[in-house]
Amino acid sequence: TAANLRKLADNPAVLVASGVVGTPHAEAAIPVARQTGLPLVGLRSGAQFLRTGQEGVYHLRSTFEAELDKVVAHCVGAGMKEMAILFSNDSFGKSSRDHLVKRLAESGITVISNVSVERGGDNIKSAVASTSQVVKGSHAPLGIALLLIAKPMLEAAREIRLNHQIIAPLFAMSFVATRDVATKPDPSLAGLGLVTA
């Protein structure tokens, strides 16, 4: 991402860059944009740590934190006492997890499992198995947060529902509302809450 943006910035015909999707890509692009003076318009990352008021950096979506605050509010309203978290092992997942853990603690909801998943989902089966073992041992009302990109989120939901037979509510962030999720019936997505701010 940084190398591509530098090439664009070196071209005098390019006035602005757009279409940077995802936290790791935005994290790589912003320093180059700041160094070269090339404006970044429409970043599609909700990471709060990327929003430091940099001149020439314009975000398209709300923050991940705003979405996660809505998840916590829903969980409090539903009387949930515990939350299991599967998060992407990258800057997006870790910052989202950290915020969610903090907000859940402030709201009196206990995090009973906190497991990382490789960004591409390579370890999804073992991560879900570890989480499922803890979830099945709980007797409190709980939810499962899937702080993952779209493909691993779908794989995790299928593992949770079909292979581990867990019916607890699942929560994911708005950017996983892809065409596949919206248009293809999938019984493993029953009870999936897609939250947006």
Side-chain angles (χ1 to χ4, degrees), residues 79-160:
M80 291 182 189
K81 302 296 181 197
E82 297 177 341
M83 178 70 74
I85 301 171
L86 288 161
F87 66 95
S88 186
N89 189 19
D90 60 14
S91 55
F92 146 69
K94 290 174 184 175
S95 64
S96 297
R97 180 233 18 225
D98 292 348
H99 182 79
L100 182 58
V101 166
K102 178 182 175 208
R103 296 292 290 129
L104 289 168
E106 293 169 355
S107 300
I109 298 174
T110 303
V111 175
I112 60 169
S113 178
N114 190 347
V115 178
S116 69
V117 174
E118 292 308 314
R119 184 169 175 86
D122 297 344
N123 66 328
I124 200 74
K125 288 184 184 280
S126 62
V128 169
S130 172
T131 300
S132 296
Q133 184 176 6
V134 175
V135 167
K136 286 181 178 181
S138 173
H139 300 291
L142 61 83
I144 302 171
L146 304 176
L147 308 179
L148 307 166
I149 61 174
K151 185 179 176 201
M153 186 283 296
L154 287 169
E155 291 174 17
R158 289 179 184 129
E159 279 290 310
I160 289 165

Side-chain angles (χ1 to χ4, degrees), residues 27-56:
E27 191 175 21
I30 288 174
V32 174
R34 297 291 295 136
Q35 290 168 357
T36 63
L38 181 67
L40 281 176
V41 176
L43 285 178
R44 287 184 225 137
S45 169
Q48 182 65 39
F49 73 89
L50 295 175
R51 296 166 188 261
T52 59
Q54 305 100 317
E55 185 176 321

Side-chain angles (χ1 to χ4, degrees), residues 8-23:
L8 290 173
D10 289 343
N11 182 341
V14 176
L15 302 177
V16 66
S18 185
V20 177
V21 178
T23 301

